[in-house]
Amino acid sequence: MAASPTNDVGGAAGLLLRRRYRRGGTGTICSGKPGFTDGGGPGTLSIMSRQFQVVIDCHDPDRMAAFWSAALDYRVDPVPDDYDNWMDYQIGQGFAENERVRFAAIYNPEGPERLSFLGVPESKTVKNRLHLDIQATFPDDSPARRIERVDTLVAELRGLGGTAQRTGRERGQYFVTMTDIEGNEFCVH
């Protein structure tokens, strides 16, 4: 029997998953295992690729969501109408105090991609082992147009508090390595 994602997952992770389904996601999670979905026929089960979201630890989830929504042209996941913020929502939904988290999320309005920002007390102290590459150019852009598009986005992100670290040319690509408002590295290509 297919299980509803809203019934199988608790805490903050369940909250995020429930928001995705409420926002229009389809399908169900069977056997409580992400990646399995109802195949459509009686007693059938098919395997699909697993959905995921990237979660970034940070001090100020709302500010990070604003920065990254501009960087990626995503939308900030809105708080349900009856609540002023996500903490009030968690309290209103009866989350135990030790299960409440400070967070914000952004999503691609044209697809399933999503980034979440989780409030944590500790600061970033070392280089990222994983970073995002933002593609600001199109495959048919001329080299001059690629540079123009990259530099335009870099200027916009600097205006929002991002910092350009270095400009590079490798493997035929022009890119700028930057840090966001909390020091996380990423590249604009």
Side-chain angles (χ1 to χ4, degrees), residues 67 69-71 150-162 178:
F67 178 89
S69 67
V150 168
D151 289 347
T152 298
L153 182 55
V154 167
E156 180 183 345
L157 297 176
R158 288 181 71 182
L160 294 171
M178 299 188 71

Side-chain angles (χ1 to χ4, degrees), residues 112-176:
E113 300 85 10
R114 178 182 171 92
L115 282 176
S116 293
F117 305 93
L118 182 64
V120 298
E122 55 275 348
S123 296
K124 180 183 177 298
T125 57
V126 297
K127 184 181 183 305
N128 296 3
R129 296 288 307 260
L130 170 78
H131 72 269
L132 300 180
D133 281 353
I134 300 173
Q135 192 68 40
T137 63
F138 295 99
D140 59 345
D141 283 345
S142 68
R145 183 67 173 134
R146 287 177 185 268
I147 291 170
E148 179 184 336
R149 286 187 193 275
V150 168
D151 289 347
T152 298
L153 182 55
V154 167
E156 180 183 345
L157 297 176
R158 288 181 71 182
L160 294 171
T163 303
Q165 299 294 318
R166 79 177 185 100
T167 299
R169 293 176 191 266
E170 295 174 7
R171 299 179 318 274
Q173 293 186 27
Y174 171 78
F175 66 93
V176 177

Side-chain angles (χ1 to χ4, degrees), residues 34-72:
F36 291 89
T37 183
D38 185 303
T44 63
L45 192 65
S46 63
I47 297 176
M48 62 180 217
S49 60
R50 290 178 171 87
Q51 294 287 325
F52 69 92
Q53 69 179 342
V54 175
V55 179
I56 299 173
D57 291 352
C58 61
H59 285 289
D60 190 338
D62 293 323
R63 189 167 172 233
M64 288 285 281
F67 178 89
W68 282 100
S69 67
L72 299 173

Side-chain angles (χ1 to χ4, degrees), residues 6-29:
T6 59
N7 295 331
D8 287 353
V9 182
L15 172 67
L16 295 174
L17 187 57
R18 285 189 293 277
R19 289 287 302 158
R20 172 173 162 54
Y21 278 80
R22 237 186 312 190
R23 207 178 68 232
T26 60
T28 56
I29 295 175

